[in-house]
Amino acid sequence: MILNQKETTFAYRCPHCGAAVVSMVGAFALTADMLRLKCPCGKSEAEIVYGKDKKLRLTVPCFLCPTPHRFTVPSQSFFGADLLRVPCGYSGADVCFVGKKEQVMPALEQSSKELEKLLGGVSVSDLAEHRGGEGMFSDPQIMDIVMYVIHELQAEGEISCRCEAGQGELSAEILDECVRISCGKCGARKDIPTDSIVSANAFLHCTHIDLE
C-alpha cells in the first residue's frame, strides 16, 4: 500500500545573506519532533516542532527584529493551506510562507518588495549585507525616526516609569549607539538602539515604552 504523505512548502528569507530558504516539509519528516531548515550561509535557521497536541511550533528568523519569532499553527492549517503567511508582530511584514510552492514563491518575492518599501527603498540584499557587517547604517535618518517616535509617545503619555502616572521627570540622552530615556526621579531607564535602520524602522511601530 502506498501512503499519501502530507507535505507542504516552507520558505523564509535569511536575514544575514538575503537568500530564500525553501524546503518541502513532510509529516513523516516531523516524526522526530523537530526539523531544522538552515540557510546555506550557516547564519540562520528555522525550527519546526511537532507537538503531541498536533500543533506545529515555528521559530523563524526575522529581517526586522534581532531575535526570531515563535508561532503556533494547527497541523491542518500547516499542511492543508494553499498559502499561509506568518507575519512579524511588530512590523506586520511576512517572515515565512507555508503552502503550495506555486503560491509560496510569488508571495516570498512580493514580501521582499514590500520590505524594501517599508525600509525606504533599501534593497533586501543591501539590508542583509549591512546587517552582517560591523558598522551597519550611520544614516542621520535613524536618529530622526527614533526621536520622532519618542516625542510622539511622550506627548501621548505612553512612556511610563516607576513613578505614578504623569509624575516622572523624563529626559532623552543621545549616546553612540542608542537613545537613553530615563526618569530623573525614580532612575528607571531604557535604551533605544540607533545602530541600524532595521531597529529604527521596527521602532516606528512601538506604541508604549516601559522604563525599568
Side-chain angles (χ1 to χ4, degrees), residues 10 34-37 45-49 57-61:
F10 183 95
M34 178 185 291
L35 183 65
R36 286 191 174 95
L37 305 176
E45 66 177 22
E47 285 186 358
I48 305 173
V49 178
R57 288 163 178 83
L58 315 178
T59 303
V60 187

Side-chain angles (χ1 to χ4, degrees), residues 74-96:
S75 60
Q76 60 266 32
S77 298
F78 187 87
F79 288 107
D82 290 342
L83 177 62
L84 177 65
R85 300 171 182 265
V86 182
C88 163
Y90 298 99
S91 68
D94 296 321
V95 296
C96 81

Side-chain angles (χ1 to χ4, degrees), residues 190-210:
K190 188 176 185 66
D191 292 345
I192 308 300
T194 57
D195 58 348
S196 77
I197 195 70
V198 176
S199 58
N201 275 282
F203 187 55
L204 270 173
H205 302 276
C206 179
T207 58
H208 185 83
I209 298 176
D210 283 314

Side-chain angles (χ1 to χ4, degrees), residues 116 119 121-128:
E116 291 172 8
L119 296 176
V122 179
S123 70
V124 169
S125 58
D126 286 343
L127 177 61

